[in-house]
Amino acid sequence: MARVSATGKGLVLGIDIGGSGIKGAPVDLQKGVFARERIRIETPKKSTPQAVAEIVAEVAAGFVDEVGDDSPVGVTVPAVVHHGVTKSAANIDDSWIDADADALFTRVLGRPVVVMNDADAAGQAEMHFGAGRDRDGVVLMTTLGTGIGSALFLDGQLLPNTELGHLELDGKEAEHRAASSVREDKDLSWKEWAKRLQRYYRHLEDLFWPDLFIVGGGVSKEADEFLPLLDLRTEIVPAQLRNDAGIIGAAWAASHQKI
Ligand code: BGC
């Protein structure tokens, strides 16, 4: 039931809220690509829902020519999103806990919204347009960034909010040991980081027996540096849409999810 935007161009706006930037673009869902260059605005230092919502509205205002001002918008948040309410805040302001993100974005944008977890959105994009296309069975996408996000699929259907970055690894939360930000902050070599990833992905494959791992996040463009160092029984491949995945997946959800 893909909807067509008010402008009749079939483009849908996706907006991805991250710890450092809020990014949006109109997405061509026939091809799974941006129809125009994205707009990126810095995430406010105090990243409260209200402060972030104002930027989201500013990004959306930049694309009225492409998508109109009344068609559904997909928005991602780096948090558990339960029926439109954000329930966690690992790498954003604590005031997101129990915030009615759906109501807030609907109000500031003046149009229907679909709010979802950032990794779930990235996973949807990879499943439809990237590394997971046409892949049945259990597919587990992880995003390695500031934190670790996860998106779990069975035969293309998402099980939302899996939050596997918070599994325990060596006595700590996995994302505090193995996120891409940890590699940068601790200046770990690829080999040192891969040792941590090895333990993480081995744990994941023992728990879920996936048919495929997809590794996303900006660092996936350097996958050749670390994926060959991993010894897993599960096939593991880099994401194809890189940092565009959140926006594309959010737009996809806005046009396919009941609102
Ligand atoms: C959050 C997840 C998010 C991931 C990636 C984690 O800390 O708990 O909700 O998907 O970071 O941003």
Side-chain angles (χ1 to χ4, degrees), residues 95-127:
S95 53
W96 282 90
I97 297 173
D98 284 329
D100 191 340
D102 193 312
L104 174 66
F105 294 133
T106 302
R107 193 171 66 245
V108 297
L109 294 175
R111 27 190 154 160
V113 297
V114 168
V115 187
M116 66 194 299
N117 171 263
D118 57 355
D120 284 343
Q124 289 285 24
E126 289 295 331
M127 293 305 285

Side-chain angles (χ1 to χ4, degrees), residues 5-16:
S5 74
T7 56
K9 292 178 191 163
L11 305 178
V12 180
L13 181 58
I15 298 182
D16 190 22

Side-chain angles (χ1 to χ4, degrees), residues 7 12 14 22 27 31 45 52 67 69 91 105 108 118 150 153 156 171 178 195 198-199 204 237 244 252 257 259:
T7 56
V12 180
I22 297 171
V27 178
K31 302 188 187 132
K45 287 246 160 354
V52 165
V67 302
D69 60 6
N91 295 304
F105 294 133
V108 297
D118 57 355
S150 60
F153 296 84
K195 269 195 202 152
Q198 169 68 31
R199 295 173 62 74
L204 287 178
V237 297
D244 296 353
W252 185 89
Q257 217 156 289
I259 301 177

Side-chain angles (χ1 to χ4, degrees), residues 177-213:
R177 293 280 298 160
S180 180
S181 60
V182 175
R183 182 184 71 84
E184 287 162 13
D185 294 348
K186 298 213 175 309
D187 210 10
L188 299 177
S189 65
W190 291 112
K191 204 169 151 205
E192 287 166 323
W193 189 49
K195 269 195 202 152
R196 297 179 178 207
L197 292 176
Q198 169 68 31
R199 295 173 62 74
Y200 181 54
Y201 285 107
R202 174 55 58 84
H203 190 39
L204 287 178
E205 68 178 357
D206 286 347
L207 288 174
F208 295 99
W209 288 83
D211 297 291
L212 176 70
F213 281 124

Side-chain angles (χ1 to χ4, degrees), residues 77-80 88 90-91 117-120 143 147-150 163 166 175:
V77 188
V80 169
S88 65
N91 295 304
N117 171 263
D118 57 355
D120 284 343
T143 60
I148 296 181
S150 60
E163 293 289 316
H166 302 291
E175 71 174 18

Side-chain angles (χ1 to χ4, degrees), residues 26-73:
V27 178
D28 175 342
L29 289 172
Q30 299 298 317
K31 302 188 187 132
V33 296
F34 294 175
R36 227 194 80 189
E37 203 186 322
R38 67 174 199 178
I39 293 177
R40 179 185 187 280
I41 300 178
E42 296 280 302
T43 306
K45 287 246 160 354
K46 179 106 178 102
S47 55
T48 59
Q50 190 56 44
V52 165
E54 280 164 26
I55 309 277
V56 164
E58 199 179 324
V59 170
F63 296 115
V64 172
D65 285 352
E66 288 78 9
V67 302
D69 60 6
D70 60 2
S71 58
V73 180

